[in-house]
C-alpha cells in the first residue's frame, strides 16, 4: 500500500505544477499580436513584385529614428543590393517590408497597394526570406525545406533543393531527404544550412526574395554557390539582398546606399564607383 499512497502524494504536486504551466500557456495564447490584419484585409496573390517605400519614417520603441522620410521604388523583377554602414537601417527596411513592424509615418506598397491592406499570412507567403542565421528544426531535411510551403509535393522540395545547390549534399546524408537534423541543424556546416534555408525560401516560389547578408558567415565555396544559385533561379522576380562583403555587385541591376536611415546614393555598381562618393568609400573600407 505504501508505494501507491506515496505516488498519490507526488501526483498532487505534479497536478499543481501542471496547473501553473497551463495557466502560463493560456496567458501567452491570449496575448493579442501587436500588428493585426484589418477586418477587410485582402490576400496578396502572385504579385508582380513592385515595392515602394513612400516617405517612410521609423523608430524602434523608445529608440532614435532609424529611417527618416525614405523614398524608394524597386521595380517588379529588379535585383537590388542594399549596402551601407552598420546601423544604417538595412535590416529595418526588410523588417518593414515583411510588416514585422509598422512605419511611424509614410507607407510601404507592394504592387501599388499599402501592405497594411494585405493579410499578413499572404504577405509572408509571397516574400521569401533568407537571413544570416536561420533556424533549422530538429526534424527531417524534407520537413525543414517544406516548412516554407507545407503542402509542397516531394518533387517541389527536391526542385527547390536543386535550385539552391543543396541537393548534392542532401543525397550524401545518411538518409537523404529523410535525415533528421539535430537541434538547430548541428550536423550541417554553416554553408549547408544556408543552402537548405535558401531551398526553404525557394520552395514557395516567392515573387519577392529578401536576403539579409546570406553569405556573411559561411565558407567561400558555399557563398559562391548561393550567389550563383540566386542569380540563376530568381531571374524575373524581385530580389533584395543586403550585401556586406560587396563582392559580385555587378550581379545587381542597382545598388542602393543607405546611411543614417536615408538613401544617399543609387545606381549600378560601375556608375556608383565613378561617382566617387559614399559607395566608393564603403568599397575601399571593405578592402582596406
Ligand atoms: P547591420 O549592417 O549592422 O546589420 P543595418 O543597416 O541592418 O546594420 P539595422 O539592423 O536596421 O541596421 O539597425 C538600425 C538601427 O536600429 C541600429 O541603431 C540598431 O541598433 C537599431 N535596432 C535594430 N533592431 C532593433 C530592435 N529590434 N530594437 C531596437 N533597436 C533596433
Amino acid at each position: 500500500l505504501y508505494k501507491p499512497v506515496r505516488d498519490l502524494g507526488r501526483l498532487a504536486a505534479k497536478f499543481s505544477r501542471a496547473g501553473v504551466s497551463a495557466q502560463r500557456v493560456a496567458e501567452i495564447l491570449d496575448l493579442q499580436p501587436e500588428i493585426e490584419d484589418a477586418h477587410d484585409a485582402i490576400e496578396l496573390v502572385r504579385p508582380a513584385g513592385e515595392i515602394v517605400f513612400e516617405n517612410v519614417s521609423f523608430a524602434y520603441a523608445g529608440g532614435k529614428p532609424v529611417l527618416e522620410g525614405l523614398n524608394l521604388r524597386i521595380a517588379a523583377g529588379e535585383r537590388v543590393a542594399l549596402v551601407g554602414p552598420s546601423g544604417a537601417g538595412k535590416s529595418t527596411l526588410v523588417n518593414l517590408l515583411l510588416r514585422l513592424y509598422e512605419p511611424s509615418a509614410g507607407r510601404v506598397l507592394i504592387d501599388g497597394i499599402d501592405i497594411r491592406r494585405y493579410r499578413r499570412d499572404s504577405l509572408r507567403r509571397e516574400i521569401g526570406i533568407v537571413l544570416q542565421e536561420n533556424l533549422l528544426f530538429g526534424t527531417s531535411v524534407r520537413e525543414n525545406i517544406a516548412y516554407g510551403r507545407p503542402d509542397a509535393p516531394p518533387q517541389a522540395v527536391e526542385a527547390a533543393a536543386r535550385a539552391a545547390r543543396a541537393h548534392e549534399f542532401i543525397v550524401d546524408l545518411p538518409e537523404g531527404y529523410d535525415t533528421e537534423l539535430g537541434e538547430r541543424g548541428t550536423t550541417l556546416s554553416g554553408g549547408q544550412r544556408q543552402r537548405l534555408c535558401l531551398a526553404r525560401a525557394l520552395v514557395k516560389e516567392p515573387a519577392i526574395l529578401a536576403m539579409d547578408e546570406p553569405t556573411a558567415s559561411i565558407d567561400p565555396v558555399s557563398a559562391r554557390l548561393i550567389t550563383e544559385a540566386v542569380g540563376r533561379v530568381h531571374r524575373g522576380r524581385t530580389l533584395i539582398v543586403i550585401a556586406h562583403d560587396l563582392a559580385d555587385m555587378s550581379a545587381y541591376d542597382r545598388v542602393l546606399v543607405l546611411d543614417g536611415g536615408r538613401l544617399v546614393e543609387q545606381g549600378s555598381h560601375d556608375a556608383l564607383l565613378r561617382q566617387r562618393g559614399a559607395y566608393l568609400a564603403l568599397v575601399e573600407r571593405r578592402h582596406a
Side-chain angles (χ1 to χ4, degrees), residues 48-56 69-82 93 97 107-113 208 238-240 253-258 262-267:
E50 183 207 38
I51 299 166
V52 173
F53 277 70
E54 201 179 79
N55 250 322
V56 171
L70 181 76
N71 284 299
L72 178 65
R73 177 177 176 274
I74 299 172
E78 195 179 6
R79 310 158 70 79
V80 301
L82 267 183
L93 197 145
L97 179 67
R107 306 190 298 165
V108 180
L109 312 151
I110 292 182
D111 283 11
I113 295 180
I208 298 168
T238 313
L239 176 71
I240 304 177
D253 300 320
R254 194 155 50 117
V255 179
L256 307 173
V257 187
L258 218 61
R262 288 176 189 279
L263 190 61
V264 292
E265 276 177 18
Q266 55 177 313

Side-chain angles (χ1 to χ4, degrees), residues 41-42 49 56 71 112 122 126 131 158 185 254:
I42 53 175
V56 171
N71 284 299
S122 67
E126 298 293 349
L131 303 172
E158 192 180 315
R254 194 155 50 117

Side-chain angles (χ1 to χ4, degrees), residues 51-208:
I51 299 166
V52 173
F53 277 70
E54 201 179 79
N55 250 322
V56 171
S57 299
F58 176 76
Y60 290 98
K64 57 182 175 33
V66 177
L67 299 180
E68 292 188 76
L70 181 76
N71 284 299
L72 178 65
R73 177 177 176 274
I74 299 172
E78 195 179 6
R79 310 158 70 79
V80 301
L82 267 183
V83 305
S86 181
K90 305 181 293 293
S91 305
T92 302
L93 197 145
V94 172
N95 288 344
L96 291 176
L97 179 67
L98 291 167
R99 216 175 147 217
L100 297 176
Y101 298 90
E102 304 258 6
S104 41
R107 306 190 298 165
V108 180
L109 312 151
I110 292 182
D111 283 11
I113 295 180
D114 191 327
I115 60 171
R116 279 175 284 213
R117 296 270 298 119
Y118 294 124
R119 287 174 51 107
R120 284 212 307 166
D121 54 352
S122 67
L123 202 61
R124 304 276 158 78
R125 199 174 53 230
E126 298 293 349
I127 304 178
I129 176 118
V130 180
L131 303 172
Q132 200 178 120
E133 264 293 318
N134 291 282
L135 195 66
L136 293 177
F137 305 108
T139 56
S140 69
V141 168
R142 187 187 312 284
E143 283 170 287
N144 266 282
I145 296 175
Y147 175 74
R149 182 178 140 206
D151 63 343
Q155 304 90 305
V157 168
E158 192 180 315
R162 282 183 188 276
R165 303 295 302 267
H167 178 77
E168 298 90 328
F169 79 79
I170 294 173
V171 291
D172 279 344
L173 294 173
E175 293 176 62
Y177 282 84
D178 296 318
T179 306
E180 300 278 321
L181 299 178
E183 282 283 359
R184 292 184 57 111
T186 43
T187 53
L188 299 180
S189 75
Q192 291 172 329
R193 290 163 53 143
Q194 202 57 327
R195 281 182 271 161
L196 209 62
C197 292
L198 178 59
R200 179 192 284 169
L202 293 179
V203 79
K204 297 197 290 187
E205 299 181 5
I208 298 168

